Amino acid sequence: MADGGALAGPVAFLGVERSLTDRVWRQRAADPAVVRALSQGQGLSEPLARALAARGVDADGAENFLRPTLRALFPDPSSFTDMDTAAEAIVDAVQAGRRVHVFADYDVDGASSAALLIRWFRAMGAELPFYVPDRLTEGYGPSPRAFETLKGQGAELVITVDCGAAAVEAVAHACSIGLEVVVIDHHLMRDRPPACRAVVNPNRPGDRSGQGDLAAAGVVFVLLAALNREARRRGMFADRPEPDLRAWLDLAALGAICDVTRLTGFNRALAKLGLQAMSSWSNPGLRALLSVAGMEPGPAKSSHAGWVLGPRINAGGRIGRADLGARLLSTDDPAEAHDLAEELDALNTARREVEREVTEAAVRRVEAAGAHADDSAVIVVEGEDWHPGVVGIVAGRLRERWRKPVVVIGVDPATGVGKGSGRSQPGVNLGRAVQGAFDEGLLLSGGGHAMAAGLAVAPGGVAAVRERLNALLAGECADAAALDALEIDALIEPRAATRDLFDQFEQLTPFGPGNPEPVFALSGVQAREPVAMNGGHVRCRLVAPDGASIRAIAWRVADLPSGRALLNGQGGLDVAGRLKADDWNGRRGVQFEIDDIHDPRRS
């Protein structure tokens, strides 16, 4: 392995100032003294120690990063604003036998959060009914009508999970009809929280927990610890075992990974330990979902959560029945789990086709308008009858393609109302801009977080929203574009791209925001035996001048400059990407997943 060494200043790695995706390449910055300390203290190879240091880990923090424990990192539940009040309200209701219902968002994080609460209530001898709004007919979050429905079903206390923090009016209505409400959320909030029994949100203004990276499932997991503590204080475990929260770490990890949260500190511990718990595949729903995906039980990876389980759980909320995910994750009946998993798998197949059609239409519309290549800060594209359940995925695809924030809006042909979702670039707080547009009266609803946002637009209002978002984000996007570099961890040769190297870097898992997957560079290679695959993917072998090679794949690039360079079999290419396990048919190898390509002849 060759290592480029620490770079002083903004020197381009391998001299790449402009790749085929118009990015500069940089080597991740790392303090040489910290690298030496990590290498000596933890017995790590120099490249691995350098990667760890580049992720902000020093010698004192290495143990908690590499081998995190709940004992060392679990926060005091009382550090969350209103957590003790929420625990008291819920335990009061359990002791009094009051009817408690949970109101959950329709995505993986919402389903995981609901399942955590359902399982805790079940362990306490009570069943917890749940309500998940329909994405198409009800939209995101609580509404007065939903609360009235719950009231009519006999609910006395409603716990909202992964939603509710911005539902000021709806929660006020709930209280006016005699419902007690506890909000558990993690989304960005306005200064004024809903007026109810408790609002627990680490991103609530004034919250001192320091846990703003948590997904809702992580906040609920801390709530369960607070519930156990409160129930223990009241002597409720004298005649029943205390619920073992460690058995449900898999659900906390699922929410953290699928909601693309920053995997640092306690949140990283939840994800890493949760994947270890998931590896037993003891949750009937997760095991059934793995089976219908054609995979065998084994050690769970982030890819299981993000690419196998998550999309199928989400499919119910996107184009099917919104409650399927929560039902799957909370059932203890293997037969029911199998039926639900098959239904979700079929919905996911249908979702992929809908997504493909909307993506192709959106690409044509953006390119026809030139919005991908102009000076706009954000791309806002709308289409009639684009399914609201896939616009977020499509926005993510377009953001990857053009490397700028994208908002995709599907307009209902009957009402003219547009429902959209956006995905952002690092350094651009799209959720704050959408919230700003809503506060200014340009949106029917809107909110989110830095990297993702949702919104609804009145008939004829898209043009004004596009103009305002561009104005609000102009400064941030200019700065983000200047910083849009591909960060490289190390330069390697194809013959060094081995399973041993892959296994070394697996010590850094799970990867995600705050802990990016290691990126390696190959220099002066040729693409041989290129094959264009369905979906626009390109497979090939990357061959070095000495003849050493590695199998490689690039996703959705066949019609882009990088894809054309591979398909033309060009030599002398610099290629950046990630090592992936290649275990097909018992083989324990690796392949190279291409992120970017530099052709020196085009510099």
Side-chain angles (χ1 to χ4, degrees):
M1 174 184 294
D3 191 349
L7 297 180
V11 178
F13 189 74
L14 293 179
V16 179
E17 293 282 1
R18 186 182 178 217
S19 70
L20 294 184
T21 61
D22 292 327
R23 282 183 285 179
V24 64
W25 290 5
R26 309 278 191 217
Q27 186 169 36
R28 295 191 200 278
D31 184 332
V34 175
V35 175
R36 286 193 298 272
L38 286 168
S39 181
Q40 295 167 5
Q42 295 290 329
L44 306 177
S45 67
E46 195 276 343
L48 183 57
R50 194 183 193 288
L52 197 58
R55 284 153 180 77
V57 180
D58 60 18
D60 292 336
E63 185 66 24
N64 279 337
F65 186 93
L66 295 171
R67 290 169 285 277
T69 64
L70 293 182
R71 179 182 297 275
L73 295 169
F74 205 99
D76 178 3
S78 298
S79 66
F80 290 72
T81 300
D82 277 2
M83 182 68 84
D84 291 341
T85 302
E88 291 169 4
I90 294 169
V91 175
D92 281 346
V94 171
Q95 281 193 310
R98 299 175 66 207
R99 292 292 303 275
V100 184
H101 290 233
V102 62
F103 183 108
D105 189 20
Y106 35 63
D107 66 0
V108 176
D109 193 22
S112 300
S113 299
L116 282 166
L117 275 171
I118 291 166
R119 290 187 173 280
W120 186 86
F121 268 75
R122 190 175 294 153
M124 298 297 291
E127 283 299 316
L128 180 66
F130 63 93
Y131 183 102
V132 183
D134 183 270
R135 182 189 294 262
L136 297 182
T137 61
E138 297 179 79
Y140 169 80
S143 65
R145 186 180 71 175
F147 280 127
E148 288 174 1
T149 298
L150 291 170
K151 178 73 172 178
Q153 293 174 353
E156 297 171 88
L157 168 64
V158 176
I159 308 169
T160 73
V161 293
D162 197 26
C163 59
V168 174
E169 293 79 10
V171 170
H173 181 78
C175 295
S176 74
I177 59 175
L179 278 176
E180 190 174 16
V181 178
V182 168
V183 172
I184 311 294
D185 205 348
H186 72 123
H187 291 97
L188 296 178
M189 289 182 62
R190 309 170 195 169
D191 291 336
R192 180 169 64 101
C196 58
R197 181 70 183 270
V199 177
V200 181
N201 184 339
N203 288 305
R204 173 179 177 171
D207 183 271
R208 299 181 182 276
S209 67
Q211 299 297 327
D213 289 340
L214 291 177
V219 183
V220 171
F221 195 81
V222 177
L223 171 66
L224 299 191
L227 293 175
N228 272 1
R229 185 175 65 181
E230 180 64 19
R232 190 185 315 121
R233 186 183 68 80
R234 301 187 190 192
M236 295 174 66
F237 299 130
D239 57 355
R240 65 160 45 93
E242 183 171 328
D244 183 1
L245 307 188
R246 293 171 299 177
W248 307 324
L249 274 166
D250 50 1
L251 296 175
L254 194 64
I257 294 168
C258 293
D259 225 51
V260 200
T261 57
R262 283 181 58 82
L263 300 182
T264 59
F266 171 59
N267 199 39
R268 171 177 166 78
L270 282 181
K272 190 174 184 73
L273 298 174
L275 288 173
Q276 292 174 9
M278 189 183 294
S279 297
S280 69
W281 301 102
S282 57
N283 181 295
L286 294 180
R287 188 179 184 90
L289 213 52
L290 190 74
S291 177
V292 299
M295 302 184 70
E296 293 294 327
K301 307 288 187 183
S302 295
S303 56
H304 285 98
W307 301 104
V308 179
L309 307 172
R312 287 170 171 81
I313 295 169
N314 268 333
R318 292 190 185 283
I319 63 172
R321 290 181 16 231
D323 66 344
L324 291 177
R327 288 176 59 195
L328 177 85
L329 298 179
S330 60
T331 185
D332 288 323
D333 181 350
E336 181 185 21
H338 175 76
D339 291 344
L340 290 168
E342 285 200 327
E343 186 173 357
L344 284 167
D345 187 59
L347 287 169
N348 190 53
T349 300
R351 185 272 306 167
R352 284 198 295 263
E353 179 60 23
V354 173
E355 174 198 327
R356 182 191 63 78
E357 293 172 355
V358 174
T359 299
E360 291 176 355
V363 167
R364 289 194 300 269
R365 185 158 298 187
V366 171
E367 291 183 338
H372 63 304
D374 60 18
D375 294 330
S376 60
V378 56
I379 296 171
V380 179
V381 58
E382 81 276 11
E384 188 172 283
D385 218 17
W386 288 353
H387 199 296
V390 303
V391 291
I393 303 175
V394 174
R397 297 276 188 245
L398 302 192
R399 186 211 64 81
E400 292 172 3
R401 184 182 183 96
W402 292 310
R403 309 206 59 76
K404 64 192 323 187
V406 177
V407 177
V408 179
I409 300 171
V411 178
D412 187 324
T415 66
V417 172
K419 294 182 179 179
S421 188
R423 298 294 182 268
S424 194
Q425 282 285 91
V428 182
N429 195 324
L430 182 60
R432 183 170 58 200
V434 168
Q435 183 69 58
F438 172 76
D439 291 341
E440 294 172 14
L442 294 175
L443 296 170
L444 298 175
S445 63
H449 49 80
M451 295 300 291
L455 51 83
V457 190
V462 172
V465 170
R466 179 186 292 111
E467 181 179 354
R468 188 56 184 148
L469 289 180
N470 269 288
L472 290 169
L473 293 173
E476 289 181 51
C477 287
D479 293 341
L483 296 172
D484 185 23
L486 180 63
E487 294 194 296
I488 311 290
D489 285 282
L491 174 65
I492 62 175
E493 299 173 355
R495 68 174 63 256
T498 63
R499 185 56 177 250
D500 179 64
L501 178 65
F502 170 83
D503 289 340
Q504 283 185 45
F505 276 81
E506 278 289 279
Q507 295 180 67
L508 305 184
T509 58
F511 302 121
N515 181 33
E517 191 171 356
V519 176
F520 301 97
L522 308 172
S523 182
V525 297
Q526 181 182 16
R528 292 188 186 171
E529 303 167 14
V531 177
M533 304 168 63
N534 289 337
H537 317 313
V538 177
R539 186 179 293 281
C540 66
R541 284 192 305 121
L542 297 176
V543 184
D546 65 1
S549 68
I550 183 171
R551 290 158 50 91
I553 190 167
W555 305 109
R556 296 179 293 276
V557 300
D559 62 338
L560 299 175
S562 53
R564 290 193 286 270
L566 296 174
L567 291 170
N568 290 338
Q570 291 179 204
L573 299 174
D574 301 318
V575 180
R578 293 159 290 166
L579 289 179
K580 297 290 188 179
D582 185 9
D583 295 340
W584 185 252
N585 284 338
R587 174 178 57 220
R588 278 184 54 80
V590 293
Q591 72 170 354
F592 200 78
E593 191 172 281
I594 297 171
D595 281 339
D596 202 3
I597 296 174
H598 170 243
D599 183 350
R601 291 165 296 186
R602 293 189 54 177
S603 296

